[in-house]
Amino acid sequence: MTSVNSRVVDPVRVLVLGSGQMGCGIARLVLDKPGLELAGLFAKRSERAGMNVGRAIGLERDLDLGIHTDLTTAIDEAEPHVAVQATCSRLSAASVEIAALLRRSIHVVSIAEEMAYPAHRSPALADELHALATAHGVGVVGTGINPGFVLDLLVIALSGVCSEIRSIAAERVNDLCPYGPTVLASQGVGLDREAFVRGLDDGSVVGHYGFPESIHMIADTLGWDIEHIDEQRTPIITTVRRVTPWLTVEPGMVAGCLHQAVAYRRGEPVIKLLHPQQIHPKLDGVDTGDRIEISGTPDVRLAGSPEIPGGQATCALAVNMIPRLLNAAPGLHTAAGLPVPAALLGDARQQIRQRLALHRHD
Amino acid sequence: MTSVNSRVVDPVRVLVLGSGQMGCGIARLVLDKPGLELAGLFAKRSERAGMNVGRAIGLERDLDLGIHTDLTTAIDEAEPHVAVQATCSRLSAASVEIAALLRRSIHVVSIAEEMAYPAHRSPALADELHALATAHGVGVVGTGINPGFVLDLLVIALSGVCSEIRSIAAERVNDLCPYGPTVLASQGVGLDREAFVRGLDDGSVVGHYGFPESIHMIADTLGWDIEHIDEQRTPIITTVRRVTPWLTVEPGMVAGCLHQAVAYRRGEPVIKLLHPQQIHPKLDGVDTGDRIEISGTPDVRLAGSPEIPGGQATCALAVNMIPRLLNAAPGLHTAAGLPVPAALLGDARQQIRQRLALHRHD
């Protein structure tokens, strides 16, 4: 059973792309994990160039690594087996970096939201990444808490106990307080109702990235054809004062965005995903949490409160996915097509069955 | 992404082993699923020989299939691609049938409890099954609601959002009312306290099968070494009268078995699994349900009530596992080493990537 023909002896060298909250969190985890080695950090922001990685990721010590803002140089210096990408949300941006990595025979775990199920946004780009990964003998997969876990992979896992399913409802109610001004602005926090609507029109208020990805991951895995998806974004108007380090929201103003998506099959709503994101939901009597309800044979209901913390979970998923990806066949994968990422608590090399086949080891 | 090189055109022929509640339930599901074909039913009980499969599995019509009580004949008649085994709980019994199937290049999904993680009971037998499966180009895997899902695979799936874990607690509180006299006797239902203790001694009261399997599946997947497992079985004494079609339990008598297992690592209890099984728990104020709590970074709590119905779920898992197994590399697998089984709602052939490589198709 998963018998080991040849153990990996050297640590798995990991290049982290991204020097924001996620990239730094992932880099710290990589440093902590036996069997993984932080091989480098790539930052898009030019002001990061040359900074010491240790200080940049919040350690109180220097590491023998500098930040690179040129990807080719970062790869040359790091000679990584695998890269974890935390630089962007969109497939169009993510795929450029990913293609460059794949061409160098580097496996890629991406937390870009649209990489959770890239065949939805662009079947052509997904095919291209698959072909490139296959040709270079490496794998690529998207992960993250949402899309990637709570509203799709966990739904799929629970569906396994069902012989029939009529409909699926899942919701994730979270608190935006841990996030910075960019995320808050994307949910319209602090706006008035009219500015929120204008923000939806001009694209500055976006709500959640990833409902179509989650829905298609679920539907394709279960074997459902989806006709169309209705998405709706409405402002969450607070009745109480809510304060964060970044801004204060007075009663009557927008505390966040209630984003929902309903997917239709044969004219019936079969998947309903709800994701209200706001600051301090408890101040207005709203409990945070994750909830999945499957109506079928049998019915399945599972819920947890508070919600699984998104930032911590996304960093963990990205790192925990590394052995799963390295054990998989070359190509583009989705989280639903690999064994579930499990907490990596032992030596990562013990979880990797195949010798890393890399150009520099040839 | 999981691009399909060659679609499977013929239905996947499924032989079901077992004519009890589980075997019949699985056979009915196979009949219902597009892309799967019920190719035969094997029964161990000789009085089933020659019975029509349709009537035996509870249909109100005959099928063009007779029950066979000789496995070789059943295989010869069915010419199956895959067999689903629902004949026994123990590895020693299961492995004899499984070996016979593997030698005929037939994939095997087993719901035998000890097949959920056979390397625990017998590393030698697990190695043998792995070698046999590999040599014959087919796969074998164990599944079921417990062991196989609630207290192990779902725990592992949730662990994926964690970077560190201190301890794991999971419990499944169920109602034995849907089960027959054999299951009730195995939990000591209807005995007095002294007879329950004697039953533990003489092996007639067994509690739950599968805690060591669940614990080792979790620990091995996460990378924890377990030093020892303490198992404890105590009688659940009812304070109220509880009635089932099979027996009546008066106050002061045993309504079920509270079985728990605690696994130790470095002297610390790290995995605690609890499974009280009884008839009519609600009559004594006990709610049924499934609950998982991970203490770590971050903490994760998920729970659902009532519990996922065990019988329905095990039948569904067995059938839903078929495409996952047929897509996997040859060999012995565990549920944690394959993509999670998802509800099979479309044509099973759409979910199967590789051409079925069987002797009869050569």
Side-chain angles (χ1 to χ4, degrees):
Chain A
M1 86 201 303
T2 65
S3 78
V4 175
N5 296 320
S6 56
R7 289 279 185 203
V8 177
V9 175
D10 295 327
V12 177
R13 295 176 60 82
V14 182
L15 171 65
V16 176
L17 277 61
S19 62
Q21 210 178 331
M22 293 296 100
C24 292
I26 290 164
R28 287 194 300 272
L29 290 186
V30 169
L31 272 177
D32 274 356
K33 296 289 176 192
L36 299 183
E37 184 179 329
L38 182 62
L41 186 67
F42 162 78
K44 288 169 89 169
R45 293 177 249 178
S46 59
E47 69 271 22
R48 293 278 202 176
M51 272 185 73
N52 185 275
V53 168
R55 303 290 166 169
I57 67 173
L59 302 183
E60 295 188 346
R61 59 189 169 98
D62 283 343
L63 294 174
D64 189 21
L65 290 171
I67 292 184
H68 292 283
T69 57
D70 173 73
L71 185 55
T72 303
T73 313
I75 294 171
D76 288 343
E77 292 285 319
E79 292 195 322
H81 301 100
V82 58
V84 181
Q85 180 189 45
T87 49
C88 55
S89 293
R90 299 292 193 192
L91 178 59
S92 50
S95 61
V96 176
E97 291 173 355
I98 293 172
L101 293 158
L102 297 178
R103 284 198 188 91
R104 300 285 296 269
S105 297
I106 299 160
H107 300 269
V108 184
V109 175
S110 175
I111 65 164
E113 281 89 337
E114 293 184 358
M115 273 298 295
Y117 207 75
H120 164 65
R121 296 279 166 187
S122 172
L125 212 43
D127 283 348
E128 197 179 303
L129 292 179
H130 181 64
L132 207 51
T134 307
H136 292 274
V138 290
V140 49
V141 69
T143 188
I145 189 70
N146 185 28
F149 193 78
V150 171
L151 297 186
D152 38 44
L153 184 57
L154 198 53
V155 172
I156 291 166
L158 290 175
S159 83
V161 303
C162 298
S163 54
E164 286 302 333
I165 294 180
R166 290 184 302 280
S167 64
I168 293 168
E171 91 181 18
R172 175 165 169 79
V173 182
N174 66 342
D175 185 343
L176 291 177
C177 283
Y179 295 93
T182 311
V183 170
L184 299 189
S186 72
Q187 307 302 318
V189 180
L191 302 178
D192 62 24
R193 194 186 289 269
E194 291 68 32
F196 182 95
V197 174
R198 282 196 306 275
L200 289 179
D201 284 342
D202 68 22
S204 60
V205 175
V206 292
H208 170 59
Y209 274 106
F211 276 138
E213 282 73 14
S214 291
I215 285 169
H216 283 284
M217 193 194 300
I218 294 170
D220 291 0
T221 306
L222 270 51
W224 273 350
D225 287 321
I226 296 300
E227 286 145 11
H228 69 283
I229 298 173
D230 280 351
E231 288 197 62
Q232 215 179 355
R233 297 168 186 84
T234 48
I236 299 168
I237 306 295
T238 185
T239 67
V240 296
R241 192 167 199 250
R242 307 192 197 182
V243 181
T244 79
W246 306 101
L247 46 77
T248 295
V249 181
E250 301 292 346
M253 304 290 278
V254 175
C257 177
L258 168 56
H259 195 166
Q260 61 180 320
V262 181
Y264 291 82
R265 172 176 180 263
R266 299 181 186 171
E268 297 291 326
V270 288
I271 302 176
K272 184 173 179 180
L273 304 181
L274 201 70
H275 191 22
Q277 300 198 79
Q278 62 197 294
I279 55 168
H280 290 304
K282 286 204 175 167
L283 292 180
D284 234 343
V286 174
D287 283 331
T288 61
D290 301 307
R291 186 179 59 84
I292 294 169
E293 291 196 13
I294 300 177
S295 300
T297 308
D299 291 331
V300 179
R301 288 198 176 80
L302 223 65
S305 181
E307 85 280 20
I308 297 173
Q312 286 182 329
T314 294
C315 292
L317 283 164
V319 173
N320 294 336
M321 190 62 95
I322 292 174
R324 298 312 207 183
L325 182 64
L326 268 55
N327 283 334
L332 173 61
H333 297 275
T334 74
L338 296 179
V340 285
L344 187 54
L345 304 181
D347 191 310
R349 288 167 289 194
Q350 303 293 320
Q351 306 288 344
I352 298 167
R353 296 195 296 270
Q354 296 151 3
R355 183 173 294 281
L356 293 169
L358 283 175
H359 48 104
R360 66 198 192 86
H361 289 158
D362 283 348
Chain B
M1 83 203 301
T2 65
S3 77
V4 175
N5 296 318
S6 54
R7 290 280 184 202
V8 177
V9 175
D10 295 328
V12 177
R13 295 176 60 82
V14 182
L15 171 66
V16 175
L17 276 61
S19 62
Q21 208 178 331
M22 293 297 99
C24 291
I26 290 164
R28 287 193 302 271
L29 289 186
V30 169
L31 272 177
D32 274 355
K33 296 288 176 192
L36 299 184
E37 183 179 330
L38 182 62
L41 186 67
F42 162 79
K44 288 170 87 169
R45 293 177 250 177
S46 58
E47 68 270 23
R48 293 276 203 178
M51 273 184 73
N52 185 274
V53 168
R55 304 289 166 171
I57 66 174
L59 302 184
E60 295 187 348
R61 59 190 168 99
D62 282 344
L63 294 174
D64 188 23
L65 290 171
I67 292 183
H68 291 283
T69 57
D70 174 73
L71 185 54
T72 303
T73 312
I75 294 171
D76 288 342
E77 293 285 320
E79 292 195 322
H81 300 101
V82 58
V84 181
Q85 181 189 46
T87 48
C88 55
S89 293
R90 299 293 194 191
L91 178 59
S92 50
S95 61
V96 176
E97 290 173 356
I98 293 172
L101 292 158
L102 297 178
R103 283 197 190 91
R104 299 286 294 269
S105 297
I106 299 160
H107 299 269
V108 184
V109 175
S110 175
I111 65 164
E113 282 89 336
E114 293 184 359
M115 273 299 293
Y117 206 75
H120 164 65
R121 297 280 166 187
S122 171
L125 212 43
D127 284 348
E128 198 179 302
L129 292 179
H130 181 64
L132 207 51
T134 307
H136 291 274
V138 289
V140 49
V141 68
T143 189
I145 189 70
N146 185 27
F149 193 77
V150 171
L151 297 185
D152 38 44
L153 184 58
L154 198 52
V155 172
I156 291 167
L158 290 176
S159 84
V161 303
C162 298
S163 55
E164 287 302 332
I165 294 180
R166 291 184 301 280
S167 65
I168 292 167
E171 92 182 16
R172 176 166 167 81
V173 182
N174 65 342
D175 185 342
L176 290 178
C177 283
Y179 295 93
T182 311
V183 170
L184 299 187
S186 72
Q187 308 300 319
V189 179
L191 302 178
D192 63 23
R193 193 186 291 268
E194 292 67 33
F196 183 95
V197 174
R198 283 197 305 275
L200 289 180
D201 285 343
D202 69 22
S204 60
V205 175
V206 292
H208 169 59
Y209 274 106
F211 277 137
E213 282 73 14
S214 291
I215 285 169
H216 283 284
M217 193 195 299
I218 295 170
D220 291 0
T221 306
L222 270 51
W224 273 350
D225 287 322
I226 296 300
E227 285 145 10
H228 69 283
I229 297 172
D230 281 351
E231 288 196 62
Q232 217 180 353
R233 296 168 187 84
T234 49
I236 298 168
I237 306 295
T238 185
T239 67
V240 295
R241 193 166 198 249
R242 307 193 197 182
V243 181
T244 80
W246 306 102
L247 46 77
T248 294
V249 181
E250 301 292 346
M253 304 292 277
V254 175
C257 177
L258 168 55
H259 194 165
Q260 61 179 320
V262 181
Y264 290 83
R265 173 176 180 261
R266 299 180 185 169
E268 298 291 327
V270 289
I271 303 175
K272 184 173 179 180
L273 304 181
L274 201 69
H275 191 22
Q277 300 198 79
Q278 62 197 294
I279 54 167
H280 289 305
K282 286 206 174 164
L283 292 180
D284 233 343
V286 174
D287 282 330
T288 62
D290 301 307
R291 187 179 58 83
I292 294 170
E293 292 196 11
I294 299 178
S295 301
T297 307
D299 291 332
V300 179
R301 289 198 177 83
L302 223 66
S305 182
E307 85 280 20
I308 298 172
Q312 287 182 329
T314 295
C315 292
L317 283 164
V319 173
N320 294 336
M321 189 63 94
I322 292 174
R324 299 313 207 180
L325 182 64
L326 267 54
N327 283 335
L332 173 62
H333 297 275
T334 74
L338 296 179
V340 286
L344 187 53
L345 305 181
D347 191 309
R349 288 167 289 193
Q350 302 295 321
Q351 306 288 344
I352 297 166
R353 293 196 296 269
Q354 296 150 3
R355 183 174 295 281
L356 292 169
L358 283 175
H359 49 103
R360 67 196 191 84
H361 290 157
D362 281 350

PDB file of all heavy atoms in Angstrom, chain B residues 11-37:
ATOM      1  N   PRO B  11     -20.586  -0.258 -20.252  1.00  0.00           N
ATOM      2  CA  PRO B  11     -20.808  -0.061 -18.817  1.00  0.00           C
ATOM      3  C   PRO B  11     -19.769  -0.840 -18.006  1.00  0.00           C
ATOM      4  O   PRO B  11     -19.222  -1.844 -18.470  1.00  0.00           O
ATOM      5  CB  PRO B  11     -22.200  -0.649 -18.592  1.00  0.00           C
ATOM      6  CG  PRO B  11     -22.838  -0.740 -19.927  1.00  0.00           C
ATOM      7  CD  PRO B  11     -21.730  -0.878 -20.927  1.00  0.00           C
ATOM      8  N   VAL B  12     -19.510  -0.349 -16.810  1.00  0.00           N
ATOM      9  CA  VAL B  12     -18.605  -1.032 -15.891  1.00  0.00           C
ATOM     10  C   VAL B  12     -19.385  -2.169 -15.238  1.00  0.00           C
ATOM     11  O   VAL B  12     -20.408  -1.938 -14.586  1.00  0.00           O
ATOM     12  CB  VAL B  12     -18.084  -0.050 -14.826  1.00  0.00           C
ATOM     13  CG1 VAL B  12     -17.194  -0.771 -13.828  1.00  0.00           C
ATOM     14  CG2 VAL B  12     -17.349   1.120 -15.480  1.00  0.00           C
ATOM     15  N   ARG B  13     -18.904  -3.383 -15.434  1.00  0.00           N
ATOM     16  CA  ARG B  13     -19.619  -4.558 -14.912  1.00  0.00           C
ATOM     17  C   ARG B  13     -19.223  -4.786 -13.458  1.00  0.00           C
ATOM     18  O   ARG B  13     -18.047  -4.936 -13.140  1.00  0.00           O
ATOM     19  CB  ARG B  13     -19.299  -5.786 -15.762  1.00  0.00           C
ATOM     20  CG  ARG B  13     -19.812  -5.657 -17.206  1.00  0.00           C
ATOM     21  CD  ARG B  13     -19.406  -6.853 -18.061  1.00  0.00           C
ATOM     22  NE  ARG B  13     -19.916  -8.118 -17.544  1.00  0.00           N
ATOM     23  CZ  ARG B  13     -21.144  -8.568 -17.760  1.00  0.00           C
ATOM     24  NH1 ARG B  13     -21.996  -7.857 -18.471  1.00  0.00           N
ATOM     25  NH2 ARG B  13     -21.526  -9.725 -17.261  1.00  0.00           N
ATOM     26  N   VAL B  14     -20.241  -4.828 -12.587  1.00  0.00           N
ATOM     27  CA  VAL B  14     -20.005  -4.896 -11.145  1.00  0.00           C
ATOM     28  C   VAL B  14     -20.568  -6.198 -10.580  1.00  0.00           C
ATOM     29  O   VAL B  14     -21.755  -6.492 -10.736  1.00  0.00           O
ATOM     30  CB  VAL B  14     -20.660  -3.698 -10.415  1.00  0.00           C
ATOM     31  CG1 VAL B  14     -20.357  -3.756  -8.916  1.00  0.00           C
ATOM     32  CG2 VAL B  14     -20.197  -2.372 -11.029  1.00  0.00           C
ATOM     33  N   LEU B  15     -19.705  -6.946  -9.913  1.00  0.00           N
ATOM     34  CA  LEU B  15     -20.136  -8.130  -9.169  1.00  0.00           C
ATOM     35  C   LEU B  15     -20.231  -7.756  -7.697  1.00  0.00           C
ATOM     36  O   LEU B  15     -19.271  -7.220  -7.133  1.00  0.00           O
ATOM     37  CB  LEU B  15     -19.113  -9.265  -9.348  1.00  0.00           C
ATOM     38  CG  LEU B  15     -19.286 -10.514  -8.469  1.00  0.00           C
ATOM     39  CD1 LEU B  15     -20.581 -11.260  -8.818  1.00  0.00           C
ATOM     40  CD2 LEU B  15     -18.075 -11.444  -8.606  1.00  0.00           C
ATOM     41  N   VAL B  16     -21.384  -7.999  -7.094  1.00  0.00           N
ATOM     42  CA  VAL B  16     -21.538  -7.715  -5.665  1.00  0.00           C
ATOM     43  C   VAL B  16     -21.370  -9.010  -4.885  1.00  0.00           C
ATOM     44  O   VAL B  16     -21.992 -10.029  -5.210  1.00  0.00           O
ATOM     45  CB  VAL B  16     -22.909  -7.066  -5.372  1.00  0.00           C
ATOM     46  CG1 VAL B  16     -23.100  -6.887  -3.867  1.00  0.00           C
ATOM     47  CG2 VAL B  16     -23.021  -5.727  -6.100  1.00  0.00           C
ATOM     48  N   LEU B  17     -20.516  -8.962  -3.861  1.00  0.00           N
ATOM     49  CA  LEU B  17     -20.325 -10.105  -2.983  1.00  0.00           C
ATOM     50  C   LEU B  17     -21.062  -9.827  -1.678  1.00  0.00           C
ATOM     51  O   LEU B  17     -20.717  -8.873  -0.970  1.00  0.00           O
ATOM     52  CB  LEU B  17     -18.834 -10.319  -2.673  1.00  0.00           C
ATOM     53  CG  LEU B  17     -17.986 -11.104  -3.679  1.00  0.00           C
ATOM     54  CD1 LEU B  17     -17.952 -10.409  -5.025  1.00  0.00           C
ATOM     55  CD2 LEU B  17     -16.572 -11.310  -3.136  1.00  0.00           C
ATOM     56  N   GLY B  18     -22.060 -10.637  -1.377  1.00  0.00           N
ATOM     57  CA  GLY B  18     -22.807 -10.449  -0.143  1.00  0.00           C
ATOM     58  C   GLY B  18     -24.271 -10.227  -0.433  1.00  0.00           C
ATOM     59  O   GLY B  18     -24.618  -9.423  -1.298  1.00  0.00           O
ATOM     60  N   SER B  19     -25.124 -10.940   0.280  1.00  0.00           N
ATOM     61  CA  SER B  19     -26.562 -10.822   0.039  1.00  0.00           C
ATOM     62  C   SER B  19     -27.289 -10.381   1.303  1.00  0.00           C
ATOM     63  O   SER B  19     -28.489 -10.604   1.452  1.00  0.00           O
ATOM     64  CB  SER B  19     -27.121 -12.158  -0.461  1.00  0.00           C
ATOM     65  OG  SER B  19     -26.925 -13.160   0.528  1.00  0.00           O
ATOM     66  N   GLY B  20     -26.549  -9.768   2.228  1.00  0.00           N
ATOM     67  CA  GLY B  20     -27.182  -9.197   3.416  1.00  0.00           C
ATOM     68  C   GLY B  20     -27.710  -7.806   3.105  1.00  0.00           C
ATOM     69  O   GLY B  20     -27.867  -7.425   1.936  1.00  0.00           O
ATOM     70  N   GLN B  21     -27.986  -7.037   4.159  1.00  0.00           N
ATOM     71  CA  GLN B  21     -28.563  -5.703   3.988  1.00  0.00           C
ATOM     72  C   GLN B  21     -27.641  -4.818   3.134  1.00  0.00           C
ATOM     73  O   GLN B  21     -28.098  -4.109   2.247  1.00  0.00           O
ATOM     74  CB  GLN B  21     -28.748  -5.075   5.374  1.00  0.00           C
ATOM     75  CG  GLN B  21     -29.876  -4.076   5.452  1.00  0.00           C
ATOM     76  CD  GLN B  21     -30.045  -3.529   6.876  1.00  0.00           C
ATOM     77  OE1 GLN B  21     -29.746  -4.197   7.862  1.00  0.00           O
ATOM     78  NE2 GLN B  21     -30.522  -2.303   6.963  1.00  0.00           N
ATOM     79  N   MET B  22     -26.326  -4.894   3.398  1.00  0.00           N
ATOM     80  CA  MET B  22     -25.375  -4.060   2.670  1.00  0.00           C
ATOM     81  C   MET B  22     -25.237  -4.518   1.213  1.00  0.00           C
ATOM     82  O   MET B  22     -25.304  -3.716   0.294  1.00  0.00           O
ATOM     83  CB  MET B  22     -24.003  -4.074   3.354  1.00  0.00           C
ATOM     84  CG  MET B  22     -23.954  -3.404   4.718  1.00  0.00           C
ATOM     85  SD  MET B  22     -24.320  -1.626   4.658  1.00  0.00           S
ATOM     86  CE  MET B  22     -26.037  -1.629   5.135  1.00  0.00           C
ATOM     87  N   GLY B  23     -25.024  -5.811   1.009  1.00  0.00           N
ATOM     88  CA  GLY B  23     -24.854  -6.327  -0.347  1.00  0.00           C
ATOM     89  C   GLY B  23     -26.062  -6.008  -1.217  1.00  0.00           C
ATOM     90  O   GLY B  23     -25.930  -5.558  -2.371  1.00  0.00           O
ATOM     91  N   CYS B  24     -27.270  -6.199  -0.654  1.00  0.00           N
ATOM     92  CA  CYS B  24     -28.491  -5.918  -1.430  1.00  0.00           C
ATOM     93  C   CYS B  24     -28.631  -4.426  -1.709  1.00  0.00           C
ATOM     94  O   CYS B  24     -29.036  -4.028  -2.814  1.00  0.00           O
ATOM     95  CB  CYS B  24     -29.717  -6.447  -0.682  1.00  0.00           C
ATOM     96  SG  CYS B  24     -29.762  -8.255  -0.644  1.00  0.00           S
ATOM     97  N   GLY B  25     -28.290  -3.598  -0.720  1.00  0.00           N
ATOM     98  CA  GLY B  25     -28.358  -2.143  -0.923  1.00  0.00           C
ATOM     99  C   GLY B  25     -27.396  -1.693  -2.005  1.00  0.00           C
ATOM    100  O   GLY B  25     -27.733  -0.857  -2.858  1.00  0.00           O
ATOM    101  N   ILE B  26     -26.203  -2.243  -1.984  1.00  0.00           N
ATOM    102  CA  ILE B  26     -25.195  -1.893  -2.995  1.00  0.00           C
ATOM    103  C   ILE B  26     -25.663  -2.348  -4.381  1.00  0.00           C
ATOM    104  O   ILE B  26     -25.557  -1.611  -5.362  1.00  0.00           O
ATOM    105  CB  ILE B  26     -23.830  -2.514  -2.615  1.00  0.00           C
ATOM    106  CG1 ILE B  26     -23.269  -1.802  -1.374  1.00  0.00           C
ATOM    107  CG2 ILE B  26     -22.854  -2.453  -3.786  1.00  0.00           C
ATOM    108  CD1 ILE B  26     -22.146  -2.537  -0.673  1.00  0.00           C
ATOM    109  N   ALA B  27     -26.203  -3.546  -4.461  1.00  0.00           N
ATOM    110  CA  ALA B  27     -26.681  -4.064  -5.754  1.00  0.00           C
ATOM    111  C   ALA B  27     -27.783  -3.166  -6.318  1.00  0.00           C
ATOM    112  O   ALA B  27     -27.809  -2.883  -7.522  1.00  0.00           O
ATOM    113  CB  ALA B  27     -27.181  -5.497  -5.591  1.00  0.00           C
ATOM    114  N   ARG B  28     -28.696  -2.701  -5.445  1.00  0.00           N
ATOM    115  CA  ARG B  28     -29.756  -1.803  -5.932  1.00  0.00           C
ATOM    116  C   ARG B  28     -29.169  -0.502  -6.465  1.00  0.00           C
ATOM    117  O   ARG B  28     -29.608   0.014  -7.493  1.00  0.00           O
ATOM    118  CB  ARG B  28     -30.779  -1.520  -4.813  1.00  0.00           C
ATOM    119  CG  ARG B  28     -31.690  -2.702  -4.499  1.00  0.00           C
ATOM    120  CD  ARG B  28     -32.878  -2.303  -3.623  1.00  0.00           C
ATOM    121  NE  ARG B  28     -32.484  -1.707  -2.358  1.00  0.00           N
ATOM    122  CZ  ARG B  28     -32.243  -2.387  -1.231  1.00  0.00           C
ATOM    123  NH1 ARG B  28     -32.375  -3.709  -1.213  1.00  0.00           N
ATOM    124  NH2 ARG B  28     -31.896  -1.761  -0.138  1.00  0.00           N
ATOM    125  N   LEU B  29     -28.166   0.046  -5.776  1.00  0.00           N
ATOM    126  CA  LEU B  29     -27.537   1.282  -6.268  1.00  0.00           C
ATOM    127  C   LEU B  29     -26.847   1.058  -7.608  1.00  0.00           C
ATOM    128  O   LEU B  29     -26.932   1.893  -8.514  1.00  0.00           O
ATOM    129  CB  LEU B  29     -26.511   1.808  -5.255  1.00  0.00           C
ATOM    130  CG  LEU B  29     -27.049   2.394  -3.956  1.00  0.00           C
ATOM    131  CD1 LEU B  29     -25.900   2.997  -3.144  1.00  0.00           C
ATOM    132  CD2 LEU B  29     -28.098   3.461  -4.243  1.00  0.00           C
ATOM    133  N   VAL B  30     -26.151  -0.068  -7.734  1.00  0.00           N
ATOM    134  CA  VAL B  30     -25.454  -0.356  -9.000  1.00  0.00           C
ATOM    135  C   VAL B  30     -26.464  -0.400 -10.147  1.00  0.00           C
ATOM    136  O   VAL B  30     -26.214   0.138 -11.238  1.00  0.00           O
ATOM    137  CB  VAL B  30     -24.664  -1.682  -8.899  1.00  0.00           C
ATOM    138  CG1 VAL B  30     -24.165  -2.118 -10.270  1.00  0.00           C
ATOM    139  CG2 VAL B  30     -23.507  -1.537  -7.909  1.00  0.00           C
ATOM    140  N   LEU B  31     -27.613  -1.009  -9.893  1.00  0.00           N
ATOM    141  CA  LEU B  31     -28.666  -1.071 -10.914  1.00  0.00           C
ATOM    142  C   LEU B  31     -29.132   0.313 -11.336  1.00  0.00           C
ATOM    143  O   LEU B  31     -29.485   0.541 -12.495  1.00  0.00           O
ATOM    144  CB  LEU B  31     -29.878  -1.830 -10.365  1.00  0.00           C
ATOM    145  CG  LEU B  31     -29.923  -3.330 -10.526  1.00  0.00           C
ATOM    146  CD1 LEU B  31     -31.171  -3.866  -9.843  1.00  0.00           C
ATOM    147  CD2 LEU B  31     -29.907  -3.730 -12.004  1.00  0.00           C
ATOM    148  N   ASP B  32     -29.146   1.233 -10.377  1.00  0.00           N
ATOM    149  CA  ASP B  32     -29.675   2.589 -10.625  1.00  0.00           C
ATOM    150  C   ASP B  32     -28.704   3.500 -11.353  1.00  0.00           C
ATOM    151  O   ASP B  32     -29.115   4.541 -11.876  1.00  0.00           O
ATOM    152  CB  ASP B  32     -29.998   3.263  -9.281  1.00  0.00           C
ATOM    153  CG  ASP B  32     -31.390   2.916  -8.807  1.00  0.00           C
ATOM    154  OD1 ASP B  32     -32.107   2.245  -9.566  1.00  0.00           O
ATOM    155  OD2 ASP B  32     -31.732   3.304  -7.671  1.00  0.00           O
ATOM    156  N   LYS B  33     -27.421   3.184 -11.341  1.00  0.00           N
ATOM    157  CA  LYS B  33     -26.422   4.154 -11.798  1.00  0.00           C
ATOM    158  C   LYS B  33     -26.102   3.975 -13.279  1.00  0.00           C
ATOM    159  O   LYS B  33     -25.611   2.919 -13.685  1.00  0.00           O
ATOM    160  CB  LYS B  33     -25.118   3.983 -10.998  1.00  0.00           C
ATOM    161  CG  LYS B  33     -25.248   4.287  -9.514  1.00  0.00           C
ATOM    162  CD  LYS B  33     -25.401   5.776  -9.266  1.00  0.00           C
ATOM    163  CE  LYS B  33     -25.627   6.059  -7.795  1.00  0.00           C
ATOM    164  NZ  LYS B  33     -26.065   7.448  -7.571  1.00  0.00           N
ATOM    165  N   PRO B  34     -26.339   5.017 -14.082  1.00  0.00           N
ATOM    166  CA  PRO B  34     -25.935   4.937 -15.480  1.00  0.00           C
ATOM    167  C   PRO B  34     -24.430   4.701 -15.592  1.00  0.00           C
ATOM    168  O   PRO B  34     -23.651   5.305 -14.843  1.00  0.00           O
ATOM    169  CB  PRO B  34     -26.289   6.328 -16.037  1.00  0.00           C
ATOM    170  CG  PRO B  34     -27.248   6.926 -15.065  1.00  0.00           C
ATOM    171  CD  PRO B  34     -26.942   6.316 -13.737  1.00  0.00           C
ATOM    172  N   GLY B  35     -24.063   3.814 -16.467  1.00  0.00           N
ATOM    173  CA  GLY B  35     -22.639   3.539 -16.654  1.00  0.00           C
ATOM    174  C   GLY B  35     -22.153   2.358 -15.834  1.00  0.00           C
ATOM    175  O   GLY B  35     -21.051   1.872 -16.051  1.00  0.00           O
ATOM    176  N   LEU B  36     -22.962   1.933 -14.863  1.00  0.00           N
ATOM    177  CA  LEU B  36     -22.637   0.717 -14.111  1.00  0.00           C
ATOM    178  C   LEU B  36     -23.654  -0.357 -14.496  1.00  0.00           C
ATOM    179  O   LEU B  36     -24.818  -0.056 -14.777  1.00  0.00           O
ATOM    180  CB  LEU B  36     -22.716   0.948 -12.596  1.00  0.00           C
ATOM    181  CG  LEU B  36     -21.788   1.992 -11.979  1.00  0.00           C
ATOM    182  CD1 LEU B  36     -21.960   2.003 -10.449  1.00  0.00           C
ATOM    183  CD2 LEU B  36     -20.327   1.744 -12.340  1.00  0.00           C
ATOM    184  N   GLU B  37     -23.203  -1.604 -14.476  1.00  0.00           N
ATOM    185  CA  GLU B  37     -24.107  -2.717 -14.799  1.00  0.00           C
ATOM    186  C   GLU B  37     -23.954  -3.779 -13.711  1.00  0.00           C
ATOM    187  O   GLU B  37     -22.827  -4.182 -13.395  1.00  0.00           O
ATOM    188  CB  GLU B  37     -23.716  -3.293 -16.167  1.00  0.00           C
ATOM    189  CG  GLU B  37     -24.626  -4.401 -16.638  1.00  0.00           C
ATOM    190  CD  GLU B  37     -24.212  -4.928 -18.017  1.00  0.00           C
ATOM    191  OE1 GLU B  37     -23.650  -4.143 -18.816  1.00  0.00           O
ATOM    192  OE2 GLU B  37     -24.427  -6.122 -18.269  1.00  0.00           O
TER     193      GLU B  37
END
